[in-house]
Amino acid sequence: TACVDLVNNNPNAPIVSQACKTLASVAMWPSNKPLMASKGAIKSLVRAVQSVGPDNERMDDEALGSAFCGLCNCAEGNDANRNLIVELDVMKSVEYICENWTDPYVLASASKLICNLAYSNVYTAMSCLAAHCDEALNASIKKGGGDKNPDIQESAMMAFCNLSNNESNQTHVGASGAIKLAVVTLETS
């Protein structure tokens, strides 16, 4: 809970970043994933992502990318955590960040979060699409400079794949321009 307190209350961006990285490391172990929810770590990481804005100096690019990494690790292989992350309403912030940030670490980490949230979970995939995360992924690739940042490309393409986990989602993702963007990405890679 000390790391949760640091993420919630510390005004220093490097300390917030390190606390998020610690939570991300702890969340890698499957047995710790339920604890991440019950001890407030997921809620803390979501609040950190939601707090991003021009007046928040405690969340620099490194801290934001680390918070995304922590959420991504919490979501991996755990549907309860995926559902919780979506229900805590983080998707609007993810969309905003993907459309307004240029830092490659942040954009790749946000894309990986979308990827993990959508993996084999129709509810969370549909929630991502309802929050326009398909458009946010397109923006991430474009803002990341296309083939200049292969981590962003790879993460976004994996996210598109996971978002297409059922027939209605496939139509939605196809209509978003993701197919055209995937073809351009493959041609320039």
Side-chain angles (χ1 to χ4, degrees):
T1 59
C3 284
V4 171
D5 290 340
L6 288 172
V7 172
N8 287 338
N9 302 315
N10 196 288
N12 188 319
I15 292 173
V16 173
S17 177
Q18 288 303 315
C20 289
K21 287 177 184 177
T22 301
L23 292 174
S25 294
V26 170
M28 291 179 72
W29 292 100
S31 60
N32 289 340
K33 291 182 190 294
L35 294 174
M36 298 302 286
S38 68
K39 299 294 183 183
I42 291 174
K43 189 173 187 177
S44 178
L45 292 167
V46 166
R47 275 198 307 243
V49 169
Q50 290 170 330
S51 73
V52 169
D55 298 330
N56 186 349
E57 295 179 9
R58 61 182 226 98
M59 288 300 292
D60 63 5
D61 290 342
E62 189 68 26
L64 181 57
S66 298
F68 277 131
C69 184
L71 288 171
C72 187
N73 289 352
C74 288
E76 185 178 3
N78 190 300
D79 276 337
N81 285 356
R82 286 184 186 119
N83 292 346
L84 176 61
I85 291 166
V86 167
E87 289 164 6
L88 288 171
D89 202 26
V90 75
M91 301 318 299
K92 291 176 190 172
S93 298
V94 173
E95 178 192 17
Y96 172 81
I97 290 162
C98 287
E99 291 176 352
N100 292 287
W101 253 248
T102 57
D103 182 76
Y105 176 54
V106 170
L107 295 175
S109 297
S111 298
K112 287 175 187 173
L113 175 60
I114 296 168
C115 177
N116 272 352
L117 288 176
Y119 182 75
S120 293
N121 186 318
V122 175
Y123 166 70
T124 55
M126 292 180 84
S127 297
C128 290
L129 290 174
H132 307 287
C133 285
D134 51 332
E135 296 167 22
L137 291 166
N138 285 333
S140 286
I141 291 173
K142 291 173 186 169
K143 286 197 165 276
D147 62 344
K148 294 177 189 165
N149 288 295
D151 287 344
I152 297 170
Q153 284 181 324
E154 179 184 15
S155 300
M157 291 299 135
M158 289 187 310
F160 281 131
C161 179
N162 289 348
L163 286 170
S164 301
N165 64 13
N166 68 53
E167 213 169 293
S168 64
N169 287 9
Q170 291 167 5
T171 303
H172 188 103
V173 170
S176 75
I179 304 299
K180 182 179 178 183
L181 189 57
V183 169
V184 169
T185 300
L186 289 170
E187 289 175 347
T188 60
S189 296

